[in-house]
Structure formats: C-alpha cells, structure tokens
Amino acid sequence: MNKLLEILNEINPGIDYETETRLIDDALLDSFSILSLIPELEDAFDVSITPADMIPVNFNSANAIWSMINRLKED
C-alpha cells in the first residue's frame, strides 16, 4: 500500500489519498492522471489492467485501487 500511495502522490500530489473516497467522482483524478497511473501500477505490481478494470469504482480511492491490484494479482 505504501508503494501505491507513493505512485499516487507522484502522479497527482496534494491529495490525502489515505482518506479520500471520491477521487473520480470529485474529479481529483482525471483521465490523464488515470492514463499515467495505469502503466505505473502495472510495472510496480506486475499486473495487467484491462479496459474492463478501468471503471470509476476501481479508482475512487486508494483502498479501491489496492483491492483491484490484489484481485488482479490473484488471477
């Protein structure tokens, strides 16, 4: 989780990722941020994020992203 928070802060600093639960809904992460984030996550956690995974519920919070990563690692 610390690595995820580090990546998020590199892409879009100034957000409290540990408590924010509406990253997409409140447009704190925009489409450009998501497109930058996906390859970083894939490289850091050795997962493949497909278009089917790119839904708001998977990116609305750091916990949601972390859950998605863990689910993808199991597949």
Side-chain angles (χ1 to χ4, degrees), residues 13-74:
I15 298 170
D16 184 359
Y17 291 103
E18 293 188 52
T19 61
E20 185 59 58
T21 60
R22 298 177 52 85
L23 294 171
I24 301 297
D25 293 344
D26 289 347
L28 298 172
L29 288 181
D30 59 15
S31 58
F32 182 75
S33 297
I34 295 297
L35 290 176
S36 299
L37 178 62
I38 288 174
E40 293 287 333
L41 297 176
E42 290 178 329
D43 291 344
F45 299 104
D46 195 30
V47 295
S48 292
I49 299 172
T50 68
D53 299 313
M54 294 180 211
I55 56 175
V57 69
N58 285 338
F59 291 91
N60 244 341
S61 70
N63 284 331
I65 298 169
W66 188 243
S67 293
M68 177 188 66
I69 289 167
N70 285 317
R71 186 175 65 255
L72 293 172
K73 287 173 95 171
E74 292 172 3

